[in-house]
Amino acid sequence: MASDHDELTAAFHLLREAARRSAVARQLQGDVEQALLRSIVEATATLFDAEAASIAIFEREPDRLEFRVAAGAQGAAAVGLSVPPSQGIVGYVFSTGQALALSDVLADPRFDRRTAERTGYVPRSIAAVPLIDGQHPVGVLQVLDKRGSATFSLRDMELLGAFAAQAAAAINATRVQRDTSRLLREVFRELGDVELDEAAVESLVSAATADLDRDEEAPFWRLVDQVSQLNGMTDRELTLVSDILEVVGRHATRPGRRG
Amino acid sequence: MTEPLLPAWSEPFAGEGSGLLRSVRVDAIGREWAWGGSTGAGVTVAIIDSGLERQHQALHGRVVESVAVEMLDGEPKVVPDDAGDLFGHGTACGGIILGLAPDVELVSVRVLGADLRGKGAAFLAGLEWAVERGVQVANLSLSSKSAALFPAFHEVVDQAYFRGTALVSAANNVTGASYPSLFASVFSVAAHAVADPWRIYYNPAPPVEFGAWGVDVPIAWKDGGSTVATGNSFAAPHIAGLVALIVSKHPGLSPFELKAVLAAVADNPRS
C-alpha cells in the first residue's frame, strides 16, 4: 500500500509540475495563437493582393464563428464580428468542410450583406476554406476581393488551403496548451476528493504530460523554470527582477543601442 | 519523399488534362451510346446538402420530396422538411444536374442547419435514408473526417454500391482522410477549369477519379438568385448529371459499369 501511495504522490507532483510549466508558458508566451493567426492573414492578404483576409474561429455558447484577426485595407472592421455557423458562405464552408469561392457576391442575395455592411465593406468576390484541426473544423479562412482578378482560380484555392492548414496547426498547438491546464485542474480536483486506482492515475498522468515539451535543456524551458522559481520571493525582490527584465527587454528591442 | 501539405486533387485536370494521356483503349463506347437522346427521365437524384429551394426557376418544379435530418436527444431522425435551402448550395447543385439532365426528379436531403453544424451523424443518417429510398444517384458535396464514423460510412457506401446507387462525392482539399469522398466505390470528383459542363476527365491515379467543371461556374443560389462559384462541390453535380443521363438510358448499370462508361467517354487525350 505504501508504494501505491508513493506512486500516487509522485504522480501528483508530476501533474503539479506539468501544470506549473503550462501556466508559466502561457504567461511567458502571451497570446501566441492571436500572433500566429495575424501573421497568416497578413501573408494571405499580401500574397493574394487582396482587399482583406480574415480568420473566423468557432466558439460555443452561443455557437458562432467569431472573426478573430484580419488584414488588408478593408479587413480591420471585421475583427470582433460574429456570424452563426448556419449562415452565410463562411458558415457553409465551416459546416461542410468544403472550400468554395463566389464572385459577384453583390449580386448574390444570400450573401450576408448585414455582416458585410457592419464592416463598412461589401466585397465583390470571396474565397473561403475550412480550418481543420485533426478531425474537426475549428474555423474558416477567407479572402475578399483579389485585386488582380474578379474570380479565384484552382491554384488560389489550393494556396489558400495551404494557409488554412498553417492556421489550423497554430490553433491546434495553442489549444494543446489550454487543454492541458484544463485537464490538470480536473485531475487535481479528482485527486483531492476520490481515490483513483493506479491505472487511472497513470493514464491521466500520461494524458496530461504527453504533449509537454520534455527538452529540459531548451533555453525556453530553462527560462520558464527560472521564472517559475521566483514564486517564493518577496514583493521587493520580484520588483527588482522585473526591473532587470524590463531593462533587458528594452535593450533587446533597440539593437542600435546594444553594447 | 515528404507528404505534400495539401492534396492537390485538381492538379491532374489542369491544362486541359494534358497529363492524363491514356494509351489503354476503352473508348469503344461513345457519348452517343452513353447518353444520346437521354434527358434523365425516370431517374431520381438525391441532393444531400443544405436543402433545395423548390420554387427556384433553375429547379423548374423537379423537386419531388424534401426531408431533413434532425438530431433528437443525440439521435438523428429523418423528417419532412419545408425549410427550403439554408445556404443556396443544395439548389446550386440541383441546378447544375438539371442543366445536364432536365427530366430527373430531385430529392432534397438536408443535413445542414442551425443544430447540425457539420455533424457527421446527421450526414450519415441522410445518406442512409437516400440509399434506403432507392435513389439511383446521390450528390454529396460534403464529407466527414470523423474516424469514429469510418465503419458506419463504409457500411452504407458498400450498401449503396451493391444496390446500384451511384454516390457522387466532391473531393475535399484538406489533409487526412475524409469519408466517404475517398472510398473506392464512390465517384470522387475534383474541379477542372474548362468552362464546359460536358467536359470530363478520368484520372487513372486515384483516389480522385473524375474531373469536371468547377471554376467560375454560373449557379443558382438562394432566394431565386444566381452567382458564379468555384469549388469541387460544383464539379461533383456535373458528374452526377451525366451519370443520371446514362442511368436513364441504360437502367440497371452498376456503379462500376457507370464508372467504366464515364472513363470511356472522358475527354482525356488519347495516344
Side-chain angles (χ1 to χ4, degrees), chain A:
Chain A
M1 282 312 289
S3 76
D4 279 2
H5 182 261
D6 288 348
E7 282 181 37
L8 250 179
T9 308
F12 185 78
H13 283 308
L14 190 52
L15 284 166
R16 283 239 301 222
E17 175 77 0
R20 182 180 61 91
R21 280 169 172 260
S22 176
V24 171
R26 207 164 49 252
Q27 187 70 29
L28 286 177
Q29 291 179 329
D31 199 340
V32 194
E33 181 178 288
Q34 193 82 0
L36 283 170
L37 296 185
R38 189 172 298 122
S39 74
I40 290 166
V41 288
E42 275 163 10
T44 307
T46 305
L47 200 81
F48 279 82
D49 189 21
E51 291 292 345
S54 53
I55 287 176
I57 304 288
F58 179 67
E59 298 287 355
R60 292 191 171 281
E61 293 171 17
D63 283 6
R64 63 193 190 278
L65 287 158
E66 192 177 297
F67 286 93
R68 200 63 74 64
V69 292
Q74 305 292 344
V79 175
L81 292 179
S82 292
V83 294
S86 57
Q87 207 179 300
I89 294 155
V90 168
Y92 185 85
V93 169
F94 174 76
S95 297
T96 61
Q98 278 290 350
L100 64 86
L102 296 186
S103 15
D104 72 87
V105 172
L106 278 171
D108 164 14
R110 199 224 33 76
F111 174 71
D112 190 1
R113 183 180 296 268
R114 269 173 309 169
T115 304
E117 281 168 355
R118 275 190 286 162
T119 72
Y121 181 67
V122 182
R124 298 174 310 281
S125 67
I126 175 173
V129 294
L131 311 183
I132 309 281
D133 177 7
Q135 296 177 21
H136 307 286
V138 292
V140 175
L141 168 63
Q142 66 165 3
V143 180
L144 307 180
D145 289 337
K146 206 172 98 168
R147 290 195 191 96
S149 160
T151 61
F152 292 89
S153 68
L154 286 175
R155 189 88 198 111
D156 288 338
M157 299 306 282
E158 275 164 14
L159 202 57
L160 200 54
F163 279 112
Q166 283 196 335
I171 291 165
N172 184 29
T174 49
R175 195 151 288 174
V176 164
Q177 199 182 72
R178 271 204 299 275
D179 290 350
T180 304
S181 44
R182 194 183 310 134
L183 172 67
L184 291 169
R185 274 200 303 281
E186 291 287 319
V187 173
F188 290 149
R189 207 175 301 132
E190 290 291 317
L191 278 176
D193 292 337
V194 293
E195 277 188 31
L196 293 167
D197 66 30
E198 231 179 299
V201 171
E202 184 55 38
S203 68
L204 284 167
V205 171
S206 53
T209 55
D211 293 311
L212 290 180
D213 189 344
R214 305 298 298 173
D215 184 6
E216 306 289 335
E217 292 311 305
F220 173 75
W221 282 109
R222 269 208 330 269
L223 183 61
V224 168
D225 282 331
Q226 283 161 353
V227 173
S228 68
Q229 281 160 19
L230 306 181
N231 266 342
M233 284 186 164
T234 65
D235 281 353
R236 219 174 125 230
E237 289 166 326
L238 280 176
T239 307
L240 180 63
V241 174
S242 168
D243 287 347
I244 293 169
L245 285 177
E246 199 187 340
V247 172
V248 173
R250 217 182 296 144
H251 224 65
T253 56
R254 291 188 202 171
R257 299 199 174 181
R258 192 164 291 164

Side-chain angles (χ1 to χ4, degrees), chain A residues 58 60 85-88 91-92 94-98 100-104 107-110 132 134-135 151-152 154 158 161-162, chain B residues 5-6 8 10-11 49 87 89 112 114 117-118 141 145-147 170-172 174 191 215-216 221-222 226-230:
Chain A
F58 179 67
R60 292 191 171 281
S86 57
Q87 207 179 300
Y92 185 85
F94 174 76
S95 297
T96 61
Q98 278 290 350
L100 64 86
L102 296 186
S103 15
D104 72 87
D108 164 14
R110 199 224 33 76
I132 309 281
Q135 296 177 21
T151 61
F152 292 89
L154 286 175
E158 275 164 14
Chain B
L5 192 57
L6 280 174
S10 288
E11 195 71 19
D49 210 294
F87 291 95
H89 193 281
L112 296 170
R117 51 158 214 98
S141 288
K145 293 185 72 66
S146 166
N172 192 322
V174 292
V215 176
D216 294 343
W221 204 247
K222 202 172 149 65
S226 62
T227 185
V228 173
T230 291

Side-chain angles (χ1 to χ4, degrees), chain B residues 50-223:
Chain B
S50 55
L52 286 174
E53 202 170 285
R54 282 167 172 267
Q55 305 307 320
H56 201 295
Q57 62 171 9
L59 303 186
H60 52 83
R62 302 307 297 168
V63 183
V64 295
E65 187 174 4
S66 296
V67 297
V69 182
E70 285 181 358
M71 298 300 280
L72 299 170
D73 298 327
E75 289 297 314
K77 191 162 181 286
V78 178
V79 298
D81 185 37
D82 58 5
D85 187 343
L86 298 184
F87 291 95
H89 193 281
T91 303
C93 293
I96 290 170
I97 291 168
L98 287 170
L100 293 161
D103 290 339
V104 298
E105 295 191 326
L106 297 179
V107 172
S108 171
V109 184
R110 184 167 66 78
V111 295
L112 296 170
D115 55 337
L116 295 174
R117 51 158 214 98
K119 279 206 170 67
F123 173 39
L124 179 66
L127 180 58
E128 263 173 339
W129 182 89
V131 173
E132 282 296 313
R133 194 191 181 281
V135 300
Q136 291 104 316
V137 185
N139 186 80
L140 288 60
S141 288
L142 62 167
S143 51
S144 170
K145 293 185 72 66
S146 166
L149 291 175
F150 172 89
F153 269 113
H154 197 273
E155 197 178 321
V156 68
V157 167
D158 270 1
Q159 203 182 335
Y161 182 79
F162 296 132
R163 291 181 66 134
T165 307
L167 303 181
V168 182
S169 191
N172 192 322
N173 274 78
V174 292
T175 43
S178 70
Y179 318 112
S181 72
L182 299 183
F183 283 154
S185 69
V186 307
F187 296 62
S188 183
V189 189
H192 71 58
V194 183
D196 177 358
W198 300 91
R199 177 172 284 261
I200 60 164
Y201 295 111
Y202 166 67
N203 179 16
V208 172
E209 288 182 311
F210 295 99
W213 184 23
V215 176
D216 294 343
V217 184
I219 54 162
W221 204 247
K222 202 172 149 65
D223 301 331

